[in-house]
Amino acid sequence: MTRYAGRRAVVVDQGNGIGLAIAKRLVEGGAEVLLTAGTAQERAYASAELGSAARVVAPDAVESAMGPVDGNGTGTGTGGVDLVFADAVPTARPLLPHLDDGGAVVLTAAAPTPASVRTLAAELVSRGIRVNAVAPSCIEAPAGDAAPLPPLGRLGSAEEVARAALFLATDATFTTGVRLPVDGGLGHP
């Protein structure tokens, strides 16, 4: 499948499986991916899962792996990226100079407030960059932590959060500044 062919993405993983799930779908669709993983063991595992279409680096090495930024605010080491997936605004902010105009940012942790998503979206609208967030809750944890079941009667998966994040990044082209709950209906009565 070549759904994401020609796309370049940076995925900052937070160790909960969502970043790796996003990276897998991107790679399967033909994208070039730069993924962060916290430990050497996590980096080795992610590298084996993703193959040669992805580079996996430590979180503190992501900016250097992307290369320098030119005078136009575009990363020259990778030619710039058009998709950034990060847990929160402070994590995404250092990556913004590497993001091509017309790109997309998707925040992937429950933490970003609707106001912070709207504020960053307004800040980047002049560059044609869309900013949205998924707000995952009641997701199966890799360690198997017990969580209360949402109205759908089951826990969600990292893969389901990845599909929502990719929808916001690539298909929701007239959507910016929104925070999409991915919570099995927990946020609704």
Side-chain angles (χ1 to χ4, degrees):
M1 184 163 111
T2 59
R3 177 181 177 111
Y4 306 116
R7 300 269 189 159
R8 292 184 173 169
V10 175
V11 182
V12 180
D13 195 5
Q14 37 188 318
N16 60 9
I18 293 171
L20 182 57
I22 291 169
K24 280 183 183 180
R25 290 189 68 88
L26 285 165
V27 166
E28 289 167 359
E32 292 178 39
V33 176
L34 176 62
L35 173 69
T36 67
T39 68
Q41 183 179 1
E42 290 170 340
R43 289 190 293 278
Y45 176 76
S47 293
E49 289 286 308
L50 297 172
S52 63
R55 288 187 306 158
V56 183
V57 299
D60 61 354
V62 69
E63 287 184 74
S64 63
M66 294 176 72
V69 177
D70 66 19
N72 295 325
T74 303
T76 57
T78 62
V81 295
D82 58 347
L83 302 173
V84 169
F85 300 88
D87 61 345
V89 172
T91 308
R93 201 165 280 291
L95 305 175
L96 298 179
H98 299 276
L99 184 61
D100 288 341
D101 291 354
V105 174
V106 178
L107 305 173
T108 59
T113 65
S116 66
V117 176
R118 286 190 304 271
T119 299
L120 187 59
E123 183 180 316
L124 296 174
V125 73
S126 66
R127 291 181 54 198
I129 295 172
R130 295 174 301 102
V131 178
N132 294 295
V134 291
S137 181
C138 296
I139 305 301
E140 293 174 341
D145 293 339
L149 293 180
L152 281 181
R154 65 176 178 82
L155 295 177
S157 69
E159 173 66 23
E160 289 171 309
V161 177
R163 286 195 303 260
L166 285 163
F167 167 76
L168 289 172
T170 62
D171 292 330
T173 57
F174 195 61
T175 303
T176 192
V178 302
R179 186 173 176 263
L180 176 67
V182 184
D183 63 4
L186 188 65
H188 305 288

